[in-house]
Amino acid sequence: MKILDRYVLTQFLTNFLGALSILVLIFVFHTIFTYIDELAGRGLELWIIGKFLIYFIPQLIPIIMPLAVVIASVMTFGSFAESYEFAAMKASGISLLRVMRPLVVLMALLSLGTFFLANNVIPVAYREVYTLRGNIAKVKPAMAISEGVFSNIGEDISIKVDKKHGDNDQFLENVLIHKKTPDRVNRIVIKAKEGELRSTKRNNFLQLILKDGSYYEDVKTNTYESQERLPFAKVHFQQYVINLDLSHLNNVDFNEKTDATTYRMMNVKQLNYAIDSLRTDFKQSITDYGVNMFKRTGFHAQLPEQKADSLPKKTTKGVSLQEVFAKFPDNNKITLLEMAENTNQSQVDNVEYRQSEVEYHYKLMNLHILNFSDKFALTVACFVLFFVAAPLGAFIRKGGIGLPLVVAMVLFLAYYFIGLFVKNVAENNTINPALAPWIPALILLPFGVYLTARVATDKEVFHFPLSHKIMRWIEDKIKNLKQRRKHKLHKINRLKRMKRFTKHNRLLK
């Protein structure tokens, strides 16, 4: 390796690793603040919190890797230009592309590493975080009670509260509980205006004290005749205490694995198989639904199979729907119309429900395609951002963390928000989901080629000769039009003066 290549690589890697370390630290603190409610106050050991953070870091690769490339490129080439090292290189006959050659090789290796992380490491890390969050939530189920939604405590109780307050959110308002009976059927409903959570001396039990409420239970009978009477029990209470046994929940294995699988937990091979399966199932579902809807119309009846010799040679004329309707008595026509209206309304309601289901399946399939395409687009994005940021750093001629950092953040935010926008749009199938992750890189690619060409040839970055010529031509045309108009007005005024002079001489004569 030549001295120049070693020097350029050393400067770039120093800035890259420094930026990457700072970004990882920033996003780790952001993760802690984001999930503080899940981690704090649960008596977790430090190794569990550390495990959670370590598994969460790979999920930040799609953000921190392009940003680190942009920052390192702008800072490195800005420092070269500021200290006139570029001028010395060019004086020695070394072009910008020659200086960038070792970094291009490094970007190729970095892109391969990014693809490996996105395809093999990030899905595993996401699965581990998903499992660990579920296990952490089991440590203290009382902390898992959210406002406005049903929360499961154990396998038998589902609780919903409108509001929580108090120092530890132990006071509850408008409590609604669904509880299963020993036959595993949801037969008990408990409603209370107020509730309180208390810890007992035995840590394996949690006491739920309900006040001013009602207890409902559907009574299970042994005979069908008794069940037809819909027996139930209803009791109003001033205070009702429920002891929740948490012994089986507190013995949580934090190394337990889960079988749940989402599109974020899949690699390229698994995503390809899942997309093909979803597409096939979706087409079959639409076909089956169309056949079912057609059968409901009543026009699906077919004639019995007959031999060719037995078919009549002449066919009778078909009967119209109006003629069939006219044959019914008048008192039955209203009933037929009401039946037809109800049937049509039922079909419309069914189609509307089916529409929401179709939209959900479309979105699920698009999310799989987006994640599949994003794994490849991320590798190309690092390349494109390097070819935009490197010449941009040479153009601004500033090193350090001042102006280069501002320029790098503006460039990355443009890339990030464009990608975020097109991905959100692609979820609803407005844009092809396979193309959406590539759009930010495709938009920045011409800009990168232009910047590299301008800086490599020592030309002004924002100097456009063709547009300058067009503007000069337009200015000349406007100037000529003004001169012609001025000359024409001058000629008209001279003719007017001559006419006035001639008329005045005639009057004198």
Side-chain angles (χ1 to χ4, degrees), residues 74 396-409:
V74 174
I396 63 175
R397 304 190 179 201
K398 285 289 183 181
I401 58 174
L403 182 61
L405 186 60
V406 175
V407 174
M409 291 302 300

Side-chain angles (χ1 to χ4, degrees), residues 38 52 90 119 191 286:
E38 298 184 18
F52 177 83
K90 291 178 181 178
N119 187 52
K191 295 181 67 177
I286 294 296

Side-chain angles (χ1 to χ4, degrees), residues 307-461:
K307 296 182 180 180
D309 297 339
S310 63
L311 293 175
K313 296 182 179 180
K314 294 183 180 180
T315 57
T316 58
K317 185 178 179 181
V319 181
S320 65
L321 187 61
Q322 290 79 5
E323 294 176 353
V324 174
F325 183 74
K327 294 180 179 180
F328 284 90
D330 293 339
N331 56 351
N332 291 337
K333 290 182 178 179
I334 297 178
T335 304
L336 288 174
L337 292 175
E338 290 178 351
M339 292 175 59
E341 184 180 0
N342 293 333
T343 302
N344 289 335
Q345 185 61 39
S346 176
Q347 296 285 58
V348 169
D349 295 339
N350 193 4
V351 169
E352 290 178 353
Y353 170 77
R354 186 66 178 180
Q355 181 181 0
S356 61
E357 187 178 353
V358 168
E359 291 175 354
Y360 168 76
H361 284 288
Y362 254 122
K363 186 174 182 178
L364 182 62
M365 188 166 57
N366 290 339
L367 288 173
H368 281 75
I369 298 174
L370 276 171
N371 197 36
F372 177 85
S373 184
D374 194 34
K375 295 181 184 297
F376 296 95
L378 180 62
T379 60
V380 178
C382 293
F383 246 111
V384 173
L385 289 173
F386 169 73
F387 279 100
V388 175
L392 198 60
F395 170 72
I396 63 175
R397 304 190 179 201
K398 285 289 183 181
I401 58 174
L403 182 61
L405 186 60
V406 175
V407 174
M409 291 302 300
V410 171
L411 177 60
F412 174 76
L413 289 177
Y415 159 80
Y416 180 75
F417 283 114
I418 291 173
L420 192 64
F421 173 75
V422 296
K423 288 177 184 177
N424 290 336
V425 174
E427 288 182 6
N428 299 322
N429 217 37
T430 306
I431 300 177
N432 188 347
L435 178 64
W438 297 87
I439 291 179
L442 294 177
I443 292 176
L444 294 176
L445 180 61
F447 187 51
V449 174
Y450 172 78
L451 284 177
T452 305
R454 301 296 291 185
V455 174
T457 55
D458 288 334
K459 295 181 180 180
E460 296 182 8
V461 174

Side-chain angles (χ1 to χ4, degrees), residues 110-122:
L110 186 63
S111 298
L112 293 176
T114 303
F115 177 76
F116 174 80
L117 292 174
N119 187 52
N120 299 95
V121 178
I122 293 179

Side-chain angles (χ1 to χ4, degrees), residues 163-216:
K163 188 177 180 181
K164 300 191 300 182
H165 59 90
D167 296 337
N168 297 316
D169 287 338
Q170 72 272 25
F171 299 109
L172 313 176
E173 294 183 5
N174 295 329
V175 183
L176 177 61
I177 297 176
H178 288 271
K179 186 177 180 181
K180 293 181 180 179
T181 52
D183 59 349
R184 315 302 300 168
V185 179
N186 185 12
R187 299 180 184 274
I188 300 175
V189 178
I190 304 173
K191 295 181 67 177
K193 294 183 179 180
E194 297 178 1
E196 182 181 357
L197 292 169
R198 291 182 184 177
S199 298
T200 60
K201 295 181 180 180
R202 298 173 61 188
N203 294 328
N204 290 334
F205 284 87
L206 181 69
Q207 198 173 63
L208 176 59
I209 302 174
L210 302 175
K211 299 179 182 180
D212 191 11
S214 300
Y215 180 99
Y216 304 87

Side-chain angles (χ1 to χ4, degrees), residues 151-159 176-180 208 242-244:
S151 304
N152 293 324
I153 300 181
E155 299 180 355
D156 299 333
I157 295 178
S158 181
I159 182 172
L176 177 61
I177 297 176
H178 288 271
K179 186 177 180 181
K180 293 181 180 179
L208 176 59
I242 301 177
N243 292 316
L244 304 175

